[in-house]
Amino acid sequence: MPTQPCRVLTGDRPTGALHLGHYFGSLQNRVRLQAEGAELFIVVPDYQVLTDRDVAEHLAERVEDLVLDYLAVGIDAAKAVIFTHSAVPALNQLLLPFLSLVSVAELHRNPTVKDEIAHSRQAAVSGLMLTYPVHQAADILFCKAGLVPVGQDQLPHLEAARTIARRFNSRYAPGGSPVFPEPEALLSAMPLLLGTDGGKMSKSRGNAIALGASEDETARLLKGAKTDAERRIAFDPVSRPEVSSLLQLAALCQGRDPHTVAAEIGDAGASRLKAVVTEAVNEYLRPIRKRRADLATDRAHLRAVLARGNARANEIADATLAQVKTAMGMRY
Ligand code: ATP
Ligand code: MG
């Protein structure tokens, strides 16, 4: 089977509403690549909710809300393959050979797994958490994605997927045409948007501004955002990460340079900065929020998008699994 360089895959756990970090870290690139003709795959990894908590709550509603966010930001649902991991059984069969290609020491070393363990709601680390990069590799490699638009936190996982692809090819297709391409990570201009507490903005950490939040809620959340004690506002990501992340957010919304935004605020301090960011975000998101509200009235459409995506993902995953089994000599 030929490799598919124009296949793009990425995904978001159904742990809450998509936020500004998703938008500027990944969604914008997905929309752009799709408009440029790439075949876009979006996995909603529902089993992966259980990497850092005991129970996955409100799954059906959260999955539908993710689809709603995708459509609201401009993803073309008629062309994209949006699917849930649990609806594609072949993904879990890919997991076993992939697990055989990584060492336990490598899994323990993965910095993103370490960070997620640090923020986990569980007292003990589960096998699902430790093997996170491996099931994610199955989610990426099954469709032979060439490009994966992700935030910075995902780079170690992407590296693991590349390693698994390379090792599978050299072990089971030596000298022949590779079964899996090595997927490339695609970072955006904002690969790590900080949340209102100064840590990575995350759905599960109570520090996010959701795309679907109201304008008032956005203002309230940004008012509480962590900054620093210096009055003069300047763009300096290394020594002033929180202020700089806010400046960059305003700049991205307004299509301007963060230094210019900072210079305009100058000595007016953090409260002016927050007012500027609030206005920029609310203005930028207004059409997206309007579209979101319109689309939210038709939940059946969201479910139909998923059903179609699940069917297509199954076709592709079954074909890849058949190829993997053949390469491994499992034809009986
Ligand atoms: P959770 O807290 O449940 O892990 P999350 O907000 O971290 O949720 P994920 O579903 O884990 O979101 O990540 C989905 C995608 O969005 C990944 O590609 C990730 O790198 C990207 N992403 C998440 N948060 C940010 C952020 N703050 N800045 C840039 N990209 C982000
Ligand atoms: Mg995350």
Side-chain angles (χ1 to χ4, degrees), residues 13 15 22 52 112 116 132 153-154 200-205:
R13 298 199 305 160
T15 44
H22 296 116
D52 63 359
T112 297
E116 279 161 1
Y132 201 155
D153 61 302
Q154 288 296 317
K200 180 186 103 65
M201 186 177 284
S202 298
K203 294 186 228 93
S204 310
R205 299 184 192 174

Side-chain angles (χ1 to χ4, degrees), residues 26-36 40 73-75:
S26 166
L27 288 168
Q28 228 182 11
N29 271 335
R30 302 181 206 182
V31 173
R32 179 180 57 80
L33 289 164
Q34 190 184 33
E36 288 170 7
L40 181 64
V73 299
I75 284 168

